[in-house]
């Protein structure tokens, strides 16, 4: 929780925080903009709402990531 609060405070101070993680639940809580990278390619970038809108019935960012990456393998 400390890290999430710290990162939010820094962005409110005008700093940019670039974070790469597999912990998608953390990203849902702290990110203003999200990029989906798969196979070394940036597939999508946008707000959480924009990214969630890419999938049918998304329950979470993880659901969207799995659907998008599954489509890339097809």
């Amino acid at each position: 929780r400390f890290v999430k609060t710290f990162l939010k405070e820094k962005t409110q101070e005008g700093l940019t925080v670039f974070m790469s993680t597999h912990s998608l639940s953390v990203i849902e809580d702290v990110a203003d903009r999200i990029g989906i990278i798969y196979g070394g390619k940036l597939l999508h970038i946008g707000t959480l709402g924009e990214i969630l809108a890419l999938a049918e019935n998304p329950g979470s960012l993880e659901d969207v990531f799995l659907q998008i990456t599954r489509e890339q393998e097809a």
Side-chain angles (χ1 to χ4, degrees):
R1 180 169 288 174
F2 171 80
V3 172
K4 289 180 185 180
T5 302
F6 179 79
L7 294 175
K8 285 182 180 182
E9 288 173 359
K10 292 301 166 189
T11 59
Q12 290 170 352
E13 293 172 9
L15 296 175
T16 297
V17 176
F18 183 85
M19 181 178 185
S20 175
T21 183
H22 288 85
S23 299
L24 300 180
S25 62
V26 172
I27 295 304
E28 286 180 303
D29 290 341
V30 300
D32 293 326
R33 294 181 48 82
I34 299 167
I36 302 288
I37 299 172
Y38 184 72
K41 295 180 182 177
L42 180 62
L43 301 179
H44 296 281
I45 191 167
T47 65
L48 177 60
E50 291 168 341
I51 298 295
L52 291 175
L54 296 172
E56 294 180 26
N57 303 315
S60 68
L61 186 55
E62 182 179 20
D63 293 336
V64 176
F65 178 83
L66 292 173
Q67 182 176 336
I68 289 171
T69 56
R70 199 171 23 245
E71 291 170 358
Q72 293 297 309
E73 293 177 357

